[in-house]
Amino acid sequence: MNMNIKKGLGLIAVLYFTSSFQAQIKSDSSAIKEKKIDEVVLIGYGSVKKKNATSAIENIKADVFEDRPIYNVTQALQGTAAGVSVVQNSGKPGQALNIKIRGNNSISSGVDPLYVVDGIQTKDISGINPDDIVDITVLKDATSAAIYGISGSSGVVIVTTKRAKANKPQLNFNAYWGVSNKVDNVDVLNLEQYKTLISEINPAWLNTINDPMYAGINTDWVKKVYTTGFDQNYNVNYAFGNENVRAYTALGYQNIAGIVSPSDFGRTSAKVNLDAKVTNWLKVTSSLNYINTNSKNTADNNAGAQGGVILSALTTPTFMPAYGSEVKVRPTDGSGNYLNGYKDGQFALNPFTGGWENPVSFMNRESDKTHTQRFLSNLGIEVNILKNLVWKSAASLDYISSTNDKFLDPYRSEWGRQQKGSGSKNDLTFRDFNFENTLNYTLKSGNHDLGVLAGIQMHERMNSGQYYWGSQFADPMQSSFVYDETNPSHGEIFRKDILKELSFFGRLVYTLNNKYTVMAVFRENGSSALHPDKRWGFFPGVSASWNISNENFLQDNSTISEFKIRGGWGKAGNASGIPAYAYYNLERLNKDGGAWSPYQTGSDVAWETTTDTNFGVDLGFLNNRIKLTADFYKRKTDDLIMSIPIGLGIPDVLRNVGSMENKGMEFTLNTVNFKNTDFSWNTNFNISFNKSKVLELKYVPVLDKAGIPSAGNLVRFAADQPISSFYGYKYGGVDSNTGEIIYKDLDGNGMLSAGDRTFIGDPNPDFTFGFTNNFTYKNWYMDLLVTGSQGGDIYNASRFELEMMDDHKNQSTIVLNRWTTPGDITNVPKANAQNAKLVSDRFIEDGSYIKLKSVTLGYNFAQPFKGVTKLNVYVTGQNLYTWTNYSGFDPEVNAFATTNGVLGIDYGTYPQVRTFVFGLKANF
């Protein structure tokens, strides 16, 4: 652990535990005896008293995050829930966050949790407006998630949104505005330093750099690329109704303009929640959501040569201008017309490599826009058949229509001129339909409390898409993509698949004397993606708790107010890594003819099954002013699904190939440090330890992923190794006589060979934590959120671009320490060093950090104006400061977030932003 992190953690611990302990002692004697209320938490298809909960469940109320401007619901979980890892992979507007509950439990299948929004099951929560949320419940272990079967193998997040209350009309409005800037920078060589380096790489290139055409040009690419981002958000909601009919309506608009053009994200959302009491025995509920998003993309996570804007801003030489018209001498043809690359409006040519232009070109030469419309809705009835017997029937629909348009114009860029323009259009449609019926029987008699649930679910998911692409426009000034105007280079693909599932599930909960609770659940799942012989899976779970604080010997204890132990075991399945028709072993043909392309074969594939064991302790002291929760778990996933390469033109085959495990500990400490009429101070501290490891891989001994140009794969999965381990050579320093890189000879053969490669890094952190403090003083309030991660390695692959010293790219100032003469002692090799691009631990860095994620200061005005019952104004700073030794933009990064199982790689990723926000909320 580096010294900065040690000091930061030590400061947090000392300030918190010292202040909290002293405040508890001082305030306990005059503590306000709070009325005990039986808090209820949601579980699958129902709820349970929190004191009787038997599983690992985390509940986050909206007041924890409602004063923190967030654009994605999952941001509300960042730093607030133990065992829930939320990584903001980049600072790009609208970028999805990467959320894992208790680590990765698969290599190739999806590991995103299931979200249940007002009863609607979905895997995508990105469009939900955070302003509509009441609370979020996380089901972390299989005993709580098993009732969702194959959908719950990676945990379940239940989101409850606002609903109207009878005879209490309420109109609310809130808005905020913010500005954003890049958090950090990577220093690169100035023009003179660059020329000195080029003289060592290839002296002939100096003739080009010193050409009179470029005289006096010294472009600051960082200023050209980065700008100030702007956020704006507006929400209005109105709730009304009586005892029989109630409605909550909401309308929201959000726009985030990024710090790198043209990145932009806009969302318009509308919501209606309806509740109707038709008769004393019949209720009708409905939730209707419409979400419209528009985004513009900036290319990142790639090298400058491949159009990555972020790395290009660092590696493009400063002697080059952005536009060809900016050179001092513009070349002409025999007729006096400017040559291509020097005409007005055209981006400057790279004099070393054609088509490899500059970041301003990469930002603007190709438009990449996505428009998405989403309808998320459900309709349910609740029938009281008998006093204690309730039948619920609900149908839900998640419908998404998305269009991505790309267009590379044929005039402005060298690449566009070579292609004579190009474009594509990708129309995608997703439809997810669920129909559920449940019977719920409850009985409370004396000291006995019984609940029995039985249900059936029918589920159909449809994906369809039509993809058009083309290039070679006849018009050299073409301004948009028109498929019929690309000739002959164009094509079209249409695909559609339908997946059907049928499930039967049940649960029994029994509590005796409010002390002893037992819960048993099961789900029988069938999926059309699997062969009929392996289609069905059975996923049970059982758990129990003992509320010791209700025993006679502790019931009146003035110090221990809560003491409960709980434990459970369960199974959940995962089949998301299996294509809809894999077991048919089909091939497919593109619409325009073309060649047959294989469809992965998987006739022998069965479910991935995760078996989970959990033990937990809940403790409360001093009337629950201090609450401690501890959980210990072990999760083993068997029958991992993986694609096995056969070769020789034979399609890859899906098989169940092995197993992996996650095991760890989680601790959450909530304290009411101080509370009186004028001042209060509440704290939440949570810390999570998780170890992930591959136990077995059959058929293929290793699986390599995360390849980058010129270097190869960075990650290897293998038995007895942590998930997503880095694999390569061990860096042994620089030979002081030659300036060449020394790699360690691990196989002892006296030469550099593939046998010298080994596992060189582990991106999985030793632990992560969140630390939240909420202060109020009269009408003032302040909220602080600190997040942190310790021990995870980062492969800073951006340094492949910034420290290779083998071509014309500009380099980071680290290369100022390069070897130049015999006898130099340094860790930076000479220019043009042999084998410099081999994957090694040279670019592996400690990714530990402590981040001041958010600070909010606000003031509440009580009835400031006629008709306004409450007005709240606040200012917030986000991503204010990061304590880390990582040399890149930000250690909270993952360039391969869309590659299952891979984490901890930085490769030209869009930087995180520091945002300052002013907001207001008004209640009428």
Side-chain angles (χ1 to χ4, degrees):
M1 182 186 291
N2 64 63
M3 290 304 297
N4 287 339
I5 302 296
K6 280 185 177 180
K7 290 177 181 178
L9 285 174
L11 179 61
I12 288 175
V14 170
L15 287 177
Y16 172 46
F17 289 107
T18 302
S19 302
S20 176
F21 180 70
Q22 291 176 346
Q24 294 287 351
I25 293 174
K26 291 178 181 179
S27 60
D28 181 55
S29 59
S30 59
I32 299 172
K33 296 297 182 181
E34 299 177 7
K35 185 178 179 179
K36 289 187 177 181
I37 300 174
D38 282 338
E39 186 179 354
V40 173
V41 294
L42 294 177
I43 55 176
Y45 303 97
S47 60
V48 65
K49 292 178 181 177
K50 189 173 183 179
K51 66 181 182 181
N52 294 331
T54 60
S55 305
I57 300 174
E58 195 93 26
N59 183 255
I60 301 96
K61 302 294 184 185
D63 55 13
V64 172
F65 56 84
E66 64 182 358
D67 294 322
R68 179 159 48 101
I70 58 178
Y71 68 87
N72 189 305
V73 173
T74 52
Q75 286 178 288
L77 298 173
Q78 195 164 33
T80 60
V84 182
S85 170
V86 181
V87 176
Q88 190 168 344
N89 301 305
S90 83
K92 189 182 296 185
Q95 182 77 25
L97 279 73
N98 188 262
I99 178 170
K100 299 289 183 291
I101 298 176
R102 294 183 167 180
N104 274 310
N105 65 332
S106 182
I107 293 176
S108 300
S109 297
V111 292
D112 292 328
L114 170 70
Y115 299 97
V116 183
V117 184
D118 295 329
I120 307 170
Q121 297 182 24
T122 178
K123 284 287 185 176
D124 179 12
I125 203 174
S126 58
I128 304 299
N129 191 340
D131 190 63
D132 293 327
I133 293 175
V134 174
D135 68 9
I136 302 173
T137 302
V138 183
L139 311 182
K140 297 188 288 186
D141 62 350
T143 58
S144 57
I147 198 166
Y148 288 105
I150 60 173
S151 300
S153 63
S154 298
V156 179
V157 178
I158 302 175
V159 178
T160 304
T161 64
K162 297 173 182 176
R163 308 193 85 87
K165 297 180 180 178
N167 302 315
K168 292 184 178 181
Q170 180 74 59
L171 175 64
N172 301 313
F173 171 78
N174 71 70
Y176 66 77
W177 304 265
V179 292
S180 302
N181 293 102
K182 182 163 56 71
V183 174
D184 206 348
N185 195 29
V186 175
D187 295 326
V188 295
L189 302 178
N190 62 34
L191 184 55
E192 292 306 313
Q193 293 167 338
Y194 171 73
K195 289 181 178 180
T196 300
L197 174 63
I198 291 298
S199 70
E200 300 172 26
I201 298 173
N202 187 344
W205 286 344
L206 288 175
N207 296 327
T208 300
I209 298 171
N210 292 323
D211 191 298
M213 177 185 296
Y214 304 109
I217 297 176
N218 192 1
T219 306
D220 187 335
W221 292 112
V222 171
K223 288 185 177 180
K224 289 282 188 182
V225 168
Y226 292 99
T227 185
T228 298
F230 182 69
D231 298 11
Q232 53 183 322
N233 187 84
Y234 309 92
N235 292 287
V236 60
N237 60 71
Y238 180 57
F240 60 95
N242 53 35
E243 290 83 356
N244 294 322
V245 180
R246 304 185 306 279
Y248 171 85
T249 61
L251 183 66
Y253 172 76
Q254 183 173 43
N255 180 260
I256 306 174
I259 61 171
V260 180
S261 178
S263 60
D264 186 274
F265 173 79
R267 179 183 67 208
T268 302
S269 63
K271 182 179 185 66
V272 178
N273 281 346
L274 295 172
D275 297 276
K277 182 180 179 182
V278 181
T279 69
N280 289 332
W281 53 269
L282 175 63
K283 296 179 182 177
V284 178
T285 62
S286 181
S287 179
L288 307 173
N289 301 269
Y290 170 70
I291 303 159
N292 186 311
T293 61
N294 288 280
S295 64
K296 298 178 183 178
N297 184 50
T298 296
D300 66 338
N301 293 330
N302 219 333
Q306 280 74 44
V309 174
I310 308 305
L311 277 174
S312 179
L314 299 173
T315 60
T316 301
T318 61
F319 78 89
M320 292 171 51
Y323 292 90
S325 59
E326 296 173 338
V327 298
K328 302 306 178 181
V329 180
R330 297 167 71 179
T332 59
D333 60 18
S335 301
N337 299 314
Y338 294 127
L339 298 178
N340 275 329
Y342 302 96
K343 297 177 181 179
D344 292 342
Q346 291 184 337
F347 301 111
L349 294 175
N350 186 319
F352 299 114
T353 306
W356 183 349
E357 291 166 314
N358 62 69
V360 176
S361 172
F362 296 153
M363 289 160 55
N364 297 286
R365 70 184 187 183
E366 181 178 45
S367 64
D368 183 354
K369 302 176 182 179
T370 301
H371 175 225
T372 301
Q373 295 189 86
R374 185 180 189 187
F375 298 88
L376 190 67
S377 59
N378 72 350
L379 176 66
I381 62 171
E382 181 177 316
V383 179
N384 294 316
I385 300 175
L386 299 172
K387 180 181 178 181
N388 299 325
L389 182 62
V390 178
W391 167 48
K392 291 183 179 181
S393 182
S396 66
L397 175 66
D398 187 1
Y399 180 87
I400 301 174
S401 175
S402 177
T403 298
N404 174 258
D405 289 290
K406 294 181 180 179
F407 176 69
L408 172 70
D409 83 74
Y411 174 75
R412 292 189 298 169
S413 69
E414 176 69 6
W415 177 241
R417 291 189 292 272
Q418 291 175 4
Q419 296 292 306
K420 295 185 179 180
S422 66
S424 66
K425 185 181 183 66
N426 196 7
D427 292 321
L428 301 175
T429 301
F430 173 79
R431 187 189 68 222
D432 195 323
F433 178 75
N434 265 298
F435 182 53
E436 298 173 335
N437 285 270
T438 61
L439 279 173
N440 193 9
Y441 178 76
T442 58
L443 176 64
K444 185 171 180 61
S445 176
N447 295 325
H448 306 278
D449 198 341
L450 176 67
V452 181
L453 173 79
I456 182 174
Q457 178 187 23
M458 290 172 281
H459 177 211
E460 180 180 279
R461 182 183 298 123
M462 184 275 291
N463 279 287
S464 67
Q466 193 152 7
Y467 178 59
Y468 309 82
W469 75 93
S471 60
Q472 306 293 316
F473 293 106
D475 183 358
M477 301 302 290
Q478 185 83 18
S479 60
S480 62
F481 173 63
V482 180
Y483 178 75
D484 292 335
E485 295 180 9
T486 58
N487 191 26
S489 180
H490 63 196
E492 180 182 357
I493 295 176
F494 177 77
R495 295 177 183 174
K496 181 178 181 179
D497 60 67
I498 297 176
L499 176 70
K500 296 182 178 181
E501 296 171 354
L502 179 64
S503 305
F504 305 92
F505 55 90
R507 178 178 59 232
L508 182 146
V509 182
Y510 172 69
T511 300
L512 175 64
N513 286 331
N514 275 327
K515 301 176 185 177
Y516 320 105
T517 300
V518 176
M519 181 174 75
V521 300
F522 81 91
R523 188 167 185 123
E524 180 82 9
N525 251 119
S527 171
S528 64
L530 294 161
H531 189 278
D533 293 341
K534 299 184 178 182
R535 181 159 293 171
W536 290 91
F538 181 71
F539 307 105
V542 60
S543 57
S545 68
W546 177 21
N547 202 331
I548 302 173
S549 53
N550 282 349
E551 296 289 356
N552 293 334
F553 56 84
L554 276 181
Q555 202 163 27
D556 297 320
N557 191 290
S558 59
T559 302
I560 301 176
S561 48
E562 181 180 350
F563 183 17
K564 182 177 71 176
I565 59 174
R566 48 188 168 75
W569 171 93
K571 287 189 174 185
N574 192 346
S576 61
I578 306 174
Y581 309 117
Y583 78 88
Y584 285 110
N585 302 335
L586 301 174
E587 290 186 328
R588 57 191 172 207
L589 187 66
N590 294 342
K591 184 178 178 180
D592 63 339
W596 288 94
S597 60
Y599 199 78
Q600 284 182 315
T601 58
S603 58
D604 294 328
V605 180
W607 303 91
E608 287 186 354
T609 303
T610 298
T611 303
D612 179 291
T613 304
N614 189 90
F615 175 77
V617 179
D618 301 319
L619 287 167
F621 303 96
L622 304 177
N623 199 28
N624 279 350
R625 291 179 63 112
I626 302 175
K627 296 189 70 174
L628 174 66
T629 297
D631 278 282
F632 308 85
Y633 63 88
K634 182 178 181 180
R635 307 170 73 196
K636 183 185 178 187
T637 302
D638 293 306
D639 297 325
L640 291 170
I641 297 170
M642 198 167 78
S643 181
I644 307 299
I646 304 300
L648 302 176
I650 301 174
D652 292 354
V653 177
L654 287 172
R655 288 292 183 269
N656 299 103
V657 301
S659 60
M660 60 176 291
E661 74 171 11
N662 286 270
K663 56 184 177 181
M665 305 178 291
E666 303 162 355
F667 302 93
T668 300
L669 180 64
N670 290 290
T671 60
V672 181
N673 304 316
F674 200 93
K675 184 173 184 179
N676 62 23
T677 306
D678 292 332
F679 178 72
S680 69
W681 172 24
N682 300 328
T683 296
N684 169 279
F685 177 76
N686 62 81
I687 188 168
S688 308
F689 303 81
N690 183 77
K691 293 293 183 184
S692 298
K693 184 172 70 171
V694 177
L695 300 178
E696 178 189 19
L697 287 179
K698 297 183 293 185
Y699 307 120
V700 289
V702 298
L703 173 65
D704 294 329
K705 289 189 178 185
I708 62 171
S710 303
N713 293 306
L714 306 180
V715 168
R716 170 163 287 187
F717 294 84
D720 296 320
Q721 295 296 328
I723 301 298
S724 192
S725 292
F726 301 130
Y727 187 80
Y729 295 91
K730 296 287 289 184
Y731 187 66
V734 174
D735 188 321
S736 62
N737 294 317
T738 65
E740 296 288 351
I741 296 175
I742 300 172
Y743 293 106
K744 294 183 179 180
D745 183 15
L746 299 184
D747 63 2
N749 66 358
M751 59 176 14
L752 180 65
S753 63
D756 295 325
R757 294 183 299 166
T758 186
F759 290 95
I760 54 177
D762 178 6
N764 299 278
D766 298 328
F767 63 83
T768 58
F769 69 89
F771 184 55
T772 306
N773 283 273
N774 310 107
F775 303 91
T776 64
Y777 177 69
K778 294 185 178 179
N779 289 348
W780 291 93
Y781 67 89
M782 176 181 282
D783 298 328
L784 296 94
L785 172 63
V786 176
T787 61
S789 177
Q790 169 59 38
D793 292 325
I794 295 178
Y795 203 109
N796 190 351
S798 298
R799 292 173 61 186
F800 274 108
E801 296 287 302
L802 291 165
E803 298 179 31
M804 283 298 102
M805 298 180 289
D806 63 349
D807 59 19
H808 58 76
K809 293 194 295 290
N810 200 4
Q811 304 285 272
S812 78
T813 53
I814 290 177
V815 306
L816 293 174
N817 298 319
R818 66 187 177 276
W819 185 98
T820 56
T821 56
D824 284 350
I825 305 300
T826 178
N827 278 324
V828 183
K830 68 178 182 180
N832 288 324
Q834 298 180 23
N835 301 316
K837 288 187 176 181
L838 294 179
V839 176
S840 73
D841 58 355
R842 176 186 172 194
F843 297 144
I844 291 180
E845 302 184 38
D846 180 11
S848 302
Y849 67 88
I850 296 175
K851 181 174 292 190
L852 184 55
K853 194 72 175 178
S854 176
V855 177
T856 297
L857 176 65
Y859 187 85
N860 290 309
F861 297 90
Q863 296 183 325
F865 311 107
K866 185 177 180 180
V868 180
T869 58
K870 182 181 177 181
L871 178 65
N872 165 234
V873 295
Y874 63 89
V875 291
T876 296
Q878 294 182 309
N879 282 338
L880 292 176
Y881 193 79
T882 302
W883 291 268
T884 184
N885 282 345
Y886 180 60
S887 67
F889 287 119
D890 196 292
E892 189 181 351
V893 65
N894 187 10
F896 287 82
T898 58
T899 303
N900 289 338
V902 174
L903 63 155
I905 299 174
D906 188 353
Y907 191 47
T909 303
Y910 194 111
Q912 301 276 1
V913 296
R914 179 181 292 119
T915 305
F916 294 95
V917 169
F918 169 77
L920 61 87
K921 297 182 180 182
N923 300 342
F924 302 90

